[in-house]
Amino acid sequence: MLEYLFNPLKFIPNEYETTIYDIDFKRLYDEGKRLIISDLDNTLISYREKMPTKELLEFKQNLKDMGFEIVICSNNHKKRVKSFCEAFGVPCVWSAHKPFVGGLRKALKKARKAYGINYTKDMVVEIGDQLLTDQFASTRYKLYTIMVRNLDPKTEIWTTRFNRRLENKILKRIKRKYPDLYEEKLSRYVGEKIAR
Ligand SMILES: [Mg+2]
């Protein structure tokens, strides 16, 4: 069980991009992706912000025009997640308890209901800024995962800072055991993390 939990392969995202705005959604659409399950804090907005930014609203409109829909899956509490998602105009799951997969399952269900499309897992792209919660949950739930850099590391709460310490350990382990995969999927993330 422990070996399974700490299998470093479960922490490797399919792609890494610095921000959500750098992701090649055109290609993802061509590959059959239609639904985005996104984390909220430090992926779409920082902890300092409460509402979607103008840039984010434009981003959502562009995605809609392309043929994507969005659902938010966040570990944060109801009040913050719900008020953000009402303003953003997308369905959401709060208190998702990632790295457990229940929140993602719920998000997929909510998206099917809200958009009237029977999304399958292979149509989903998951986006998040944490290896230990977002990526770990999503790879186990067998979703295509994209890791982004956290928007504002100074605002991370204590649980996240604790997770980041573990994350560093896991990153080292991946580098040691799977140097090629590390180079391909994670070295840019680590480089940008150290650089700031
Ligand atoms: Mg986050």
Side-chain angles (χ1 to χ4, degrees), residues 39-43 47 98 128-130 133-134 160 164:
D39 175 49
L40 175 60
D41 297 308
N42 266 335
T43 296
Y47 281 105
K98 294 174 282 185
D129 70 303
Q130 282 199 65
T133 54
D134 308 315
T160 306
R164 293 287 181 203

Side-chain angles (χ1 to χ4, degrees), residues 39-104:
D39 175 49
L40 175 60
D41 297 308
N42 266 335
T43 296
L44 299 184
I45 54 168
S46 82
Y47 281 105
R48 276 184 231 274
E49 296 157 315
K50 287 195 171 115
M51 287 291 131
T53 58
K54 191 171 160 270
E55 197 182 19
L56 195 58
L57 288 167
E58 279 171 20
F59 170 79
K60 182 199 149 197
Q61 192 53 51
N62 286 338
L63 285 177
K64 261 194 167 306
D65 294 344
M66 262 180 171
F68 282 101
E69 297 293 356
I70 306 175
V71 57
I72 303 295
C73 182
S74 170
N75 279 357
N76 214 328
H77 57 77
K78 180 177 179 179
K79 194 167 162 245
R80 172 167 166 89
V81 180
K82 203 171 171 235
S83 60
F84 171 89
C85 289
E86 274 169 10
F88 199 36
V90 301
C92 61
V93 173
W94 56 83
S95 307
H97 303 298
K98 294 174 282 185
F100 296 105
V101 300
L104 293 170

Side-chain angles (χ1 to χ4, degrees), residues 108-122:
L108 193 54
K109 248 190 198 169
K110 278 203 168 180
R112 282 178 186 143
K113 204 174 160 206
Y115 301 120
I117 297 170
N118 193 25
Y119 295 111
T120 48
K121 285 187 191 181
D122 59 338

Side-chain angles (χ1 to χ4, degrees), residues 125-175:
V125 181
E126 180 274 343
I127 308 173
D129 70 303
Q130 282 199 65
L131 226 57
L132 257 86
T133 54
D134 308 315
Q135 302 311 321
F136 189 44
S138 301
T139 51
R140 273 166 41 249
Y141 195 51
K142 298 193 166 50
L143 299 180
Y144 190 89
T145 66
I146 301 182
M147 169 100 179
V148 292
R149 193 175 72 173
N150 57 348
L151 285 172
D152 187 356
K154 288 188 206 80
T155 61
E156 287 190 332
I157 53 172
W158 73 270
T159 45
T160 306
R161 272 186 265 138
F162 177 78
N163 282 346
R164 293 287 181 203
R165 298 240 294 261
L166 276 177
E167 179 181 305
N168 288 340
K169 284 202 167 76
I170 290 164
L171 286 166
K172 275 186 192 146
R173 191 153 172 202
I174 298 171
K175 192 178 180 181

